Amino acid sequence: MIQAKEYVRPSSLEEAYQLCRRRSSVVAGGMMWLKMENIQKQTIIDLSGLGLAGIEEDEEQFRIGAMTTLRMLETHPGLNQEFDGIFRECTRHIVGVQFRNGATVGGSIYGRFGFSDILTCLLALDAYVELYYGGVMPLAQFAAIPRSITERNILVRILIKKDGRRAAYRTVRRASTDFPLLACCVAKKGGQWQISLGARPQRAKAVVISENEESCGAEGWEEQEAIRIAKEGVKAFSFGSNLRGSGEYRRVLAELLIRRLARQLQGQGEAGSGMGSGREQSKNGTMTESDQSRKEDNRR
Ligand SMILES: Cc1cc2nc3c(=O)[nH]c(=O)nc-3n(C[C@H](O)[C@H](O)[C@H](O)COP(=O)(O)OP(=O)(O)OC[C@H]3O[C@@H](n4cnc5c(N)ncnc54)[C@H](O)[C@@H]3O)c2cc1C
């Protein structure tokens, strides 16, 4: 249980930042994770009075405040329309609706948890973080920084450009609301494929693979391209073992997920949430069997 002597709800970011620079303080998002930690602090800094809960959209980008809840991401029409429903897909397995009404985007990204669905999803979209001290930086750069170095800062917003990319997301879980065994997001922009893998079980990271233009248009090239991207993609990642699965199992699953998501983005198949159920979800939300896709996977 977390214990603190003092609770402060700052009315400005500067006040919050000055308080958070003290080693004896802790910033609170939704406190869903923090409340399980066994720590004692002098001051809890509640960011809920700073107007950071909300998603702003203009022609160029989305600006997601740090106190936006996961449920707001899940149900935001603009975000889900722009990115093919991946925000619905990457949040819907996280515990339950009540939990997602409390957990925040800021806590999910600042926490940089290895299992994070949100980090995996945003990395494939080339998102940026806006920090109170330090300004805007690519999320990929922020995610790679050891947690201890950025301990004393405030995450203000996440920025996602509307750059025309399409994206697809999928996880494998041993049970529906468990932490993911593997999380995968694939995005396509022009001739570039951006692949993000989380829960390996290390922290998510993303790589970019260029389309093989020479083979474009040849018979069956989409399928061959999906296979090539998946094989190239997994080479860029390391996979570890934990209670949920071995590194080798994760590597095999990763190749399969990347291939399926690439095919989905090419319009050849629809990928849903989990693999255990053997069912796949179409974009309009109805559940459909996709035997064709499984048969193809089994043949390899
Ligand atoms: C039982 C359980 C199951 C979960 N399952 C999943 C899952 O399957 N997939 C998944 O992706 N996530 C999962 N999570 C994580 C969850 O989605 C949230 O990411 C997590 O609870 C943190 O969000 P929060 O708003 O509660 O942050 P808090 O608990 O309030 O904070 C988390 C950390 O971030 C810091 N922090 C918070 N906001 C800011 C800010 N704006 N600036 C600077 N620092 C900040 C805090 O100081 C703290 O160190 C799970 C969590 C729990 C407790």
Side-chain angles (χ1 to χ4, degrees), residues 26-37 47 66 70 93-95 99 102-108 110-111 113 115-118 147 151 153-156 173 177-180:
V26 64
V27 173
M31 282 203 71
M32 306 308 248
W33 189 263
L34 268 182
K35 72 182 176 190
M36 300 199 314
E37 294 209 281
L47 303 182
L70 302 190
H93 294 284
I94 302 176
V95 189
F99 180 93
T104 64
V105 176
S108 298
Y110 205 88
F113 307 107
F115 56 76
S116 178
D117 288 285
I118 314 302
R147 176 76 206 263
E151 197 57 50
N153 207 340
I154 307 253
L155 175 58
V156 182
R173 287 170 146 87
T177 57
D178 191 11
F179 292 111

Side-chain angles (χ1 to χ4, degrees), residues 4 41 48 97 155 160 257 259:
K41 292 284 179 185
S48 65
V97 170
L155 175 58
I160 313 173
L257 288 189
R259 196 171 76 223

Side-chain angles (χ1 to χ4, degrees), residues 30-140:
M31 282 203 71
M32 306 308 248
W33 189 263
L34 268 182
K35 72 182 176 190
M36 300 199 314
E37 294 209 281
N38 196 12
I39 48 173
Q40 293 194 332
K41 292 284 179 185
Q42 176 69 28
T43 311
I44 287 187
I45 308 158
D46 177 358
L47 303 182
S48 65
L50 301 176
L52 297 178
I55 301 170
E56 293 166 25
E57 176 183 1
D58 61 26
E59 281 179 9
E60 289 179 0
Q61 63 177 352
F62 291 94
R63 288 156 48 92
I64 304 172
M67 292 298 282
T68 302
T69 66
L70 302 190
R71 181 68 177 161
M72 289 159 88
L73 283 188
E74 182 180 359
T75 56
H76 193 269
L79 267 180
N80 281 296
Q81 192 177 344
E82 183 72 24
F83 299 111
D84 308 281
I86 60 168
F87 284 94
R88 195 162 46 239
E89 191 54 40
C90 82
T91 47
R92 71 191 180 99
H93 294 284
I94 302 176
V95 189
V97 170
Q98 200 174 353
F99 180 93
R100 300 196 293 275
N101 272 325
T104 64
V105 176
S108 298
I109 296 302
Y110 205 88
R112 281 158 286 175
F113 307 107
F115 56 76
S116 178
D117 288 285
I118 314 302
L119 184 59
T120 307
C121 170
L122 288 173
L123 279 171
L125 300 184
D126 234 356
Y128 286 75
V129 291
E130 182 183 328
L131 300 165
Y132 182 71
Y133 180 78
V136 175
M137 71 160 79
L139 174 62

Side-chain angles (χ1 to χ4, degrees), residues 212-224:
N212 183 358
E213 287 174 11
E214 285 170 21
S215 65
C216 279
E219 198 182 336
W221 73 271
E222 291 104 334
E223 184 59 33
Q224 291 309 315

Side-chain angles (χ1 to χ4, degrees), residues 145-217:
I145 299 173
R147 176 76 206 263
S148 52
I149 295 180
T150 54
E151 197 57 50
R152 311 269 130 221
N153 207 340
I154 307 253
L155 175 58
V156 182
R157 275 179 208 90
I158 303 288
L159 310 172
I160 313 173
K161 291 200 167 48
K162 290 182 174 177
D163 59 6
R165 74 182 58 210
R166 295 196 54 217
Y169 185 86
R170 192 159 175 175
T171 60
V172 179
R173 287 170 146 87
R174 298 193 69 143
S176 69
T177 57
D178 191 11
F179 292 111
L181 189 154
L182 189 71
C184 178
C185 193
V186 177
K188 180 150 195 265
K189 183 189 161 206
Q192 304 286 305
W193 293 88
Q194 190 144 346
I195 299 166
S196 165
L197 284 177
R200 297 174 285 115
Q202 301 96 315
R203 196 182 285 177
K205 72 166 190 176
V207 296
V208 176
I209 294 178
S210 298
E211 194 162 63
N212 183 358
E213 287 174 11
E214 285 170 21
S215 65
C216 279

